[in-house]
Amino acid sequence: MVEPLYKLSDIEHLYSFDEPVLFIARVGFLPAIFLKLQDIGERGEFISCYIQEEYIDGLKDGRISIRGVFEAQKDAHIVECDEYLNVYAEKCLLRSEIPESMLPRPNTGLYLRHGECPDVLQEKDALLSIYFRGVELNREHILYSTLMSLLSSVQSLARNVIAPPELRGLRHSTFDFLVGDPALGSLMISIKKPTATWEN
């Protein structure tokens, strides 16, 4: 009889269809997300990765897609579990080694009510988040000219949407915006708050 490597604990089911399909469990001291891929005999095969609390919250709030959670991590694991969630086999894959077919479609959120969700984490307290996606945008790099063009578009939109009409004509150094960390992959730019610098 084969002994399990370990047993998953503190299970939180996110989606089930007769059995757990997507869930969060504790692996040692860390939370991990598991997505069922297929059945192999009496066991299920899952793709899994460690997940931070901000990504768990983002997934539940519709601020990131299921695919985005997996793509945000450096690596993932393919694990085999029995119906009691005892793990019998696991294999580590780098993000670049994960076949497209193992991940959900882009922009697929946890709940239908969220509609399409970004594949990168949206800032929770942003006044405005703008999400770009396309062939030229990936997690490793982006062309400088593409980045500058998108940033210019965001700045123009933010000044027209957030700034009161009387401040729209001021120099950019006078009325500006604090921006959260841009997220590459698809590009997410989140404006946190406006700032003003008045010169005497």
Side-chain angles (χ1 to χ4, degrees):
M1 182 176 169
V2 179
E3 290 294 316
L5 300 174
Y6 56 89
K7 182 176 175 60
L8 301 177
S9 61
D10 298 334
I11 312 299
E12 180 185 355
H13 296 276
L14 299 176
Y15 181 77
S16 295
F17 189 75
D18 293 333
E19 60 186 349
V21 175
L22 182 68
F23 61 90
I24 295 168
R26 198 155 292 282
V27 178
F29 295 109
L30 301 173
I33 188 166
F34 292 78
L35 175 66
K36 185 155 192 185
L37 300 174
Q38 64 182 343
D39 285 314
I40 302 174
E42 298 292 314
R43 298 179 187 157
E45 183 180 57
F46 296 82
I47 184 170
S48 171
C49 67
Y50 292 110
I51 183 171
Q52 299 92 346
E53 288 295 327
E54 64 185 311
Y55 284 90
I56 295 171
D57 292 343
L59 187 60
K60 292 177 181 177
D61 294 345
R63 293 182 290 114
I64 190 168
S65 67
I66 300 167
R67 180 190 192 99
V69 169
F70 284 95
E71 288 184 338
Q73 310 308 317
K74 289 188 168 91
D75 55 24
H77 293 82
I78 306 302
V79 299
E80 285 183 28
C81 300
D82 64 14
E83 62 182 312
Y84 305 106
L85 299 178
N86 292 304
V87 175
Y88 286 88
E90 66 179 342
K91 175 184 173 186
C92 185
L93 296 175
L94 295 175
R95 184 174 63 214
S96 59
E97 298 173 322
I98 301 170
E100 273 297 300
S101 60
M102 285 188 177
L103 298 173
R105 288 193 316 256
N107 308 112
T108 302
L110 183 57
Y111 304 115
L112 280 175
R113 68 177 180 264
H114 292 144
E116 284 196 355
C117 297
D119 291 329
V120 292
L121 185 63
Q122 178 182 351
E123 293 258 353
K124 188 171 190 169
D125 299 322
L127 285 174
L128 174 68
S129 288
I130 300 158
Y131 176 58
F132 298 97
R133 61 182 176 191
V135 177
E136 294 181 15
L137 306 173
N138 66 58
R139 290 186 185 277
E140 282 71 42
H141 59 270
I142 183 173
L143 290 174
Y144 179 76
S145 58
T146 302
L147 177 63
M148 295 312 293
S149 173
L150 295 176
L151 289 174
S152 177
S153 299
V154 170
Q155 185 177 37
S156 296
L157 177 69
R159 286 181 75 83
N160 290 327
V161 170
I162 296 174
E166 55 273 8
L167 298 179
R168 290 181 188 156
L170 295 176
R171 292 189 331 226
H172 294 293
S173 61
T174 303
F175 185 78
D176 208 348
F177 302 97
L178 289 178
V179 176
D181 290 338
L184 296 181
S186 306
L187 182 65
M188 172 75 71
I189 300 171
S190 296
I191 294 172
K192 298 178 107 169
K193 66 179 183 178
T195 64
T197 306
W198 306 105
E199 295 179 1
N200 294 329

